[in-house]
Amino acid sequence: MLRKSFFEGKKVEELANALLGCELVHETEDGTTAGIIVETESYHQTDEASHSYNGKSKRTAVMFGPPGHAYIYFTYGMHYCFNIVAENEGVGAGVLIRALEPTSGIELMKKRRNQENIHNLCNGPAKLVQAMGISKADYGKPIFQGNLYVTEPKLKDIKIVFGPRIGISKAQQKPWRFWVENNPFVSGQRKA
DNA sequence: TGAGTGATTGACT
DNA sequence: GTCAATCACTCAT
């Protein structure tokens, strides 16, 4: 498991890069699921597309807290997305986890998602939340301790590429989306 | 107090 | 390719 210090002292873009190739693990009553992070996006309070841009709110309070905690938000009336809080306490920044390559608990993921195709289990921010069994009960939890955590990098020698973000209407041109090149589990198959 | 919007997905044409 | 589902939050009366 990564230590708390891993999340400290990094810019949100640096953390988004550093998390690629690491494994996200969730231990639950139903079993353990895990997957390697292959796609991320960074959001900062100075970025008008970020939830933290307009200041602290009830919804985004965790983003302004200390780094290494889970920020989970609900959107479009039916979907949750999972972020890792970045930068120092008082700064509203976080890394959105957009896609995972499943490694453990794949049968459990299939059951949760009601989906047999492994490529459709975690290739989207709301999909991986469902597959991993993450819920708003995990909001604000530290991910350097407990049963929801991130490991040391598992993939070596990966090529990281970056480009415009997806699914937002502001500041799309900012190259703050990062992913592992040629990985079939990356979600970004929409218009770039 | 109420209308508009969205860091999405899945079903349907 | 198009569109509905559905709620927390923001902004405008």
Side-chain angles (χ1 to χ4, degrees):
Chain A
M1 188 187 302
L2 291 172
R3 293 198 307 262
K4 183 181 178 185
S5 60
F6 177 85
F7 304 98
E8 297 172 331
K10 280 188 174 67
K11 286 185 179 178
V12 65
E13 307 92 46
E14 291 174 335
L15 185 61
N17 259 280
L19 286 170
L20 289 172
C22 297
E23 192 173 34
L24 178 67
V25 184
H26 193 202
E27 297 171 357
T28 69
E29 292 180 355
D30 297 328
T32 298
T33 49
I36 294 173
I37 298 169
V38 294
E39 185 180 0
T40 62
E41 284 179 9
S42 66
Y43 287 87
H44 191 269
Q45 66 183 20
T46 57
D47 165 18
E48 63 177 339
S50 171
H51 290 168
S52 56
Y53 179 68
N54 288 316
K56 194 173 176 179
S57 75
K58 199 172 184 179
R59 183 200 205 186
T60 62
V62 173
M63 288 185 85
F64 291 84
H69 289 246
Y71 166 49
I72 296 161
Y73 70 89
F74 186 70
T75 192
Y76 291 102
M78 48 198 336
H79 295 295
Y80 290 99
C81 296
F82 173 66
N83 299 246
I84 296 174
V85 177
E87 307 208 8
N88 294 331
E89 185 167 358
V91 179
V95 178
L96 170 71
I97 308 301
R98 288 194 57 89
L100 301 176
E101 177 178 336
T103 53
S104 301
I106 291 173
E107 290 307 311
L108 182 55
M109 290 183 183
K110 287 180 178 177
K111 183 181 169 187
R112 282 172 174 154
R113 295 265 305 116
N114 193 25
Q115 170 63 254
E116 286 298 314
N117 186 346
I118 191 171
H119 290 103
N120 283 336
L121 291 177
C122 295
N123 62 331
K127 293 181 184 179
L128 69 91
V129 166
Q130 188 180 7
M132 295 288 290
I134 297 171
S135 74
K136 64 183 178 186
D138 297 301
Y139 180 92
K141 282 188 178 179
I143 58 171
F144 44 85
Q145 62 183 39
N147 54 11
L148 177 64
Y149 57 91
V150 178
T151 70
E152 297 281 330
K154 298 280 183 166
L155 288 181
K156 310 277 181 168
D157 302 321
I158 56 176
K159 184 174 182 183
I160 295 173
V161 289
F162 59 89
R165 288 174 298 184
I166 295 176
I168 54 178
S169 60
K170 295 175 183 175
Q172 293 158 313
Q173 72 281 9
K174 305 281 187 180
W176 289 336
R177 170 170 171 255
F178 307 88
W179 69 96
V180 178
E181 189 174 51
N182 295 327
N183 186 295
F185 296 92
V186 170
S187 72
Q189 303 306 328
R190 305 181 184 200
K191 64 173 184 176

